[in-house]
Amino acid sequence: MPDLIPFDDVSHFFDEFEHTAWRLETQRGYASDLASPNWPRFQRGETFGYDPDSPWHANVREQTMRGKRYERVRLVDQPPTEGQRFLLASGLGNVEAGEDIRNLFRSDAARIGLPDYDFWLFDSRSVVKFVIDSAGTTLGVRVLEDAESVVRACQVRDAAWHHAVPTREFQAQVPSSV
């Protein structure tokens, strides 16, 4: 098993991938979201859109304008947790930036055998697997490039993407208020 490294050490993947960056998000909430300046805005019921000053949005826009794909599937409980409602609200800005975010109820994810951990898959060749504690804090990541890990991640991506619902359509199915 590769060493656990800080997430910042893999940030180069987001600039250097050639074709696709795909993410599975499985947590009920992320500590980083609670520290976000958008969290109090969400609490006040404000809406979120594309923000060209956001480094994330700017990079997604730049990469997708080059023809690369940013995609993500988020697992959502029934009813969604507060953290998941935040992600649904804040994800619209990501979508406007060019990221294709889809959502899947956790019960459906369990039925199709999706894992309970988060990861990024870059170009179907590098898996960045998160280690997250029970409070939603990312402790670090492991970069996996062995064939078994990459094939498994590709299988998860294919199954999740097939069953997931685009964000705007999904939002119509779940309560959106705080």
Side-chain angles (χ1 to χ4, degrees):
M1 179 71 67
D3 290 338
L4 190 64
I5 59 175
F7 182 76
D8 288 345
D9 287 3
V10 300
S11 61
H12 63 91
F13 278 105
F14 297 98
D15 297 323
E16 297 172 356
F17 73 95
E18 295 179 34
H19 310 288
T20 59
W22 190 88
R23 168 85 188 258
L24 178 68
E25 288 184 348
T26 65
Q27 303 299 302
R28 290 178 169 86
Y30 294 89
S32 59
D33 292 338
L34 297 174
S36 164
N38 286 337
W39 185 264
R41 294 180 57 208
F42 165 72
Q43 295 286 309
R44 293 190 298 266
E46 294 179 26
T47 58
F48 303 91
Y50 171 68
D51 177 2
D53 294 329
S54 158
W56 182 261
H57 289 175
N59 188 51
V60 167
R61 173 136 311 169
E62 180 181 330
Q63 300 301 329
T64 56
M65 289 180 68
R66 293 179 181 171
K68 300 177 185 180
R69 292 190 340 240
Y70 260 97
E71 300 169 336
R72 182 185 310 241
V73 170
R74 291 178 165 153
L75 303 190
V76 179
D77 292 271
Q78 294 174 292
T81 66
E82 186 174 32
Q84 292 165 342
R85 289 194 320 269
F86 172 77
L87 291 173
L88 285 168
S90 63
L92 293 176
N94 295 29
V95 171
E96 287 179 49
E99 185 173 351
D100 190 346
I101 300 177
R102 299 182 182 197
N103 302 275
L104 183 65
F105 284 117
R106 186 174 304 280
S107 56
D108 292 329
R111 182 179 48 76
I112 61 173
L114 297 186
D116 61 356
Y117 55 84
D118 286 33
F119 68 89
W120 277 101
L121 173 64
F122 295 95
D123 293 327
S124 301
R125 107 179 111 205
S126 299
V127 178
V128 174
K129 183 177 178 182
F130 288 75
V131 175
I132 299 172
D133 71 12
S134 61
T137 301
T138 298
L139 303 176
V141 296
R142 289 189 167 90
V143 178
L144 308 170
E145 295 184 326
D146 61 284
E148 182 178 341
S149 297
V150 171
V151 168
R152 175 66 181 137
C154 290
Q155 291 170 333
V156 167
R157 175 199 57 205
D158 293 349
W161 200 252
H162 177 77
H163 293 281
V165 177
T167 291
R168 290 189 191 285
E169 183 180 333
F170 190 83
Q171 282 188 323
Q173 299 175 24
V174 297
S176 60
S177 60
V178 175

mmCIF file with all atom_site columns, all heavy atoms in Angstrom, residues 41 45-49 89 92:
data_model
loop_
_atom_site.group_PDB
_atom_site.id
_atom_site.type_symbol
_atom_site.label_atom_id
_atom_site.label_alt_id
_atom_site.label_comp_id
_atom_site.label_asym_id
_atom_site.label_entity_id
_atom_site.label_seq_id
_atom_site.pdbx_PDB_ins_code
_atom_site.Cartn_x
_atom_site.Cartn_y
_atom_site.Cartn_z
_atom_site.occupancy
_atom_site.B_iso_or_equiv
_atom_site.pdbx_formal_charge
_atom_site.auth_seq_id
_atom_site.auth_comp_id
_atom_site.auth_asym_id
_atom_site.auth_atom_id
_atom_site.pdbx_PDB_model_num
ATOM 1  N N   . ARG A 1 41 ? -23.095 31.438 3.800   1.00 0.00 ? 41 ARG A N   1
ATOM 2  C CA  . ARG A 1 41 ? -24.008 31.887 2.730   1.00 0.00 ? 41 ARG A CA  1
ATOM 3  C C   . ARG A 1 41 ? -25.093 30.840 2.513   1.00 0.00 ? 41 ARG A C   1
ATOM 4  O O   . ARG A 1 41 ? -26.266 31.166 2.325   1.00 0.00 ? 41 ARG A O   1
ATOM 5  C CB  . ARG A 1 41 ? -23.232 32.136 1.435   1.00 0.00 ? 41 ARG A CB  1
ATOM 6  C CG  . ARG A 1 41 ? -22.259 33.306 1.526   1.00 0.00 ? 41 ARG A CG  1
ATOM 7  C CD  . ARG A 1 41 ? -21.501 33.515 0.230   1.00 0.00 ? 41 ARG A CD  1
ATOM 8  N NE  . ARG A 1 41 ? -22.438 33.722 -0.868  1.00 0.00 ? 41 ARG A NE  1
ATOM 9  C CZ  . ARG A 1 41 ? -22.191 33.407 -2.131  1.00 0.00 ? 41 ARG A CZ  1
ATOM 10 N NH1 . ARG A 1 41 ? -21.007 32.916 -2.467  1.00 0.00 ? 41 ARG A NH1 1
ATOM 11 N NH2 . ARG A 1 41 ? -23.082 33.599 -3.059  1.00 0.00 ? 41 ARG A NH2 1
ATOM 12 N N   . GLY A 1 45 ? -29.358 30.751 3.023   1.00 0.00 ? 45 GLY A N   1
ATOM 13 C CA  . GLY A 1 45 ? -30.229 30.447 1.893   1.00 0.00 ? 45 GLY A CA  1
ATOM 14 C C   . GLY A 1 45 ? -29.814 31.096 0.591   1.00 0.00 ? 45 GLY A C   1
ATOM 15 O O   . GLY A 1 45 ? -30.596 31.143 -0.355  1.00 0.00 ? 45 GLY A O   1
ATOM 16 N N   . GLU A 1 46 ? -28.563 31.615 0.533   1.00 0.00 ? 46 GLU A N   1
ATOM 17 C CA  . GLU A 1 46 ? -28.104 32.235 -0.703  1.00 0.00 ? 46 GLU A CA  1
ATOM 18 C C   . GLU A 1 46 ? -27.836 31.173 -1.764  1.00 0.00 ? 46 GLU A C   1
ATOM 19 O O   . GLU A 1 46 ? -27.578 30.020 -1.458  1.00 0.00 ? 46 GLU A O   1
ATOM 20 C CB  . GLU A 1 46 ? -26.828 33.041 -0.434  1.00 0.00 ? 46 GLU A CB  1
ATOM 21 C CG  . GLU A 1 46 ? -27.060 34.231 0.474   1.00 0.00 ? 46 GLU A CG  1
ATOM 22 C CD  . GLU A 1 46 ? -25.783 35.005 0.746   1.00 0.00 ? 46 GLU A CD  1
ATOM 23 O OE1 . GLU A 1 46 ? -24.852 34.956 -0.089  1.00 0.00 ? 46 GLU A OE1 1
ATOM 24 O OE2 . GLU A 1 46 ? -25.720 35.653 1.797   1.00 0.00 ? 46 GLU A OE2 1
ATOM 25 N N   . THR A 1 47 ? -27.871 31.590 -3.008  1.00 0.00 ? 47 THR A N   1
ATOM 26 C CA  . THR A 1 47 ? -27.585 30.675 -4.109  1.00 0.00 ? 47 THR A CA  1
ATOM 27 C C   . THR A 1 47 ? -26.144 30.864 -4.576  1.00 0.00 ? 47 THR A C   1
ATOM 28 O O   . THR A 1 47 ? -25.513 31.886 -4.297  1.00 0.00 ? 47 THR A O   1
ATOM 29 C CB  . THR A 1 47 ? -28.546 30.920 -5.288  1.00 0.00 ? 47 THR A CB  1
ATOM 30 O OG1 . THR A 1 47 ? -28.412 32.277 -5.712  1.00 0.00 ? 47 THR A OG1 1
ATOM 31 C CG2 . THR A 1 47 ? -29.978 30.628 -4.880  1.00 0.00 ? 47 THR A CG2 1
ATOM 32 N N   . PHE A 1 48 ? -25.653 29.886 -5.295  1.00 0.00 ? 48 PHE A N   1
ATOM 33 C CA  . PHE A 1 48 ? -24.272 29.893 -5.751  1.00 0.00 ? 48 PHE A CA  1
ATOM 34 C C   . PHE A 1 48 ? -24.235 29.720 -7.263  1.00 0.00 ? 48 PHE A C   1
ATOM 35 O O   . PHE A 1 48 ? -24.972 28.936 -7.817  1.00 0.00 ? 48 PHE A O   1
ATOM 36 C CB  . PHE A 1 48 ? -23.476 28.744 -5.120  1.00 0.00 ? 48 PHE A CB  1
ATOM 37 C CG  . PHE A 1 48 ? -23.491 28.775 -3.626  1.00 0.00 ? 48 PHE A CG  1
ATOM 38 C CD1 . PHE A 1 48 ? -24.455 28.113 -2.919  1.00 0.00 ? 48 PHE A CD1 1
ATOM 39 C CD2 . PHE A 1 48 ? -22.534 29.498 -2.948  1.00 0.00 ? 48 PHE A CD2 1
ATOM 40 C CE1 . PHE A 1 48 ? -24.462 28.145 -1.546  1.00 0.00 ? 48 PHE A CE1 1
ATOM 41 C CE2 . PHE A 1 48 ? -22.526 29.535 -1.567  1.00 0.00 ? 48 PHE A CE2 1
ATOM 42 C CZ  . PHE A 1 48 ? -23.506 28.861 -0.857  1.00 0.00 ? 48 PHE A CZ  1
ATOM 43 N N   . GLY A 1 49 ? -23.347 30.434 -7.877  1.00 0.00 ? 49 GLY A N   1
ATOM 44 C CA  . GLY A 1 49 ? -23.159 30.290 -9.308  1.00 0.00 ? 49 GLY A CA  1
ATOM 45 C C   . GLY A 1 49 ? -21.678 30.229 -9.630  1.00 0.00 ? 49 GLY A C   1
ATOM 46 O O   . GLY A 1 49 ? -20.826 30.140 -8.731  1.00 0.00 ? 49 GLY A O   1
ATOM 47 N N   . ALA A 1 89 ? -26.244 22.647 -3.506  1.00 0.00 ? 89 ALA A N   1
ATOM 48 C CA  . ALA A 1 89 ? -26.366 24.082 -3.775  1.00 0.00 ? 89 ALA A CA  1
ATOM 49 C C   . ALA A 1 89 ? -25.096 24.652 -4.393  1.00 0.00 ? 89 ALA A C   1
ATOM 50 O O   . ALA A 1 89 ? -25.138 25.392 -5.373  1.00 0.00 ? 89 ALA A O   1
ATOM 51 C CB  . ALA A 1 89 ? -26.702 24.818 -2.472  1.00 0.00 ? 89 ALA A CB  1
ATOM 52 N N   . LEU A 1 92 ? -23.775 23.854 -8.268  1.00 0.00 ? 92 LEU A N   1
ATOM 53 C CA  . LEU A 1 92 ? -24.260 24.511 -9.485  1.00 0.00 ? 92 LEU A CA  1
ATOM 54 C C   . LEU A 1 92 ? -23.183 25.406 -10.093 1.00 0.00 ? 92 LEU A C   1
ATOM 55 O O   . LEU A 1 92 ? -23.099 25.527 -11.315 1.00 0.00 ? 92 LEU A O   1
ATOM 56 C CB  . LEU A 1 92 ? -25.527 25.305 -9.182  1.00 0.00 ? 92 LEU A CB  1
ATOM 57 C CG  . LEU A 1 92 ? -26.734 24.447 -8.810  1.00 0.00 ? 92 LEU A CG  1
ATOM 58 C CD1 . LEU A 1 92 ? -27.922 25.337 -8.433  1.00 0.00 ? 92 LEU A CD1 1
ATOM 59 C CD2 . LEU A 1 92 ? -27.101 23.506 -9.955  1.00 0.00 ? 92 LEU A CD2 1
#
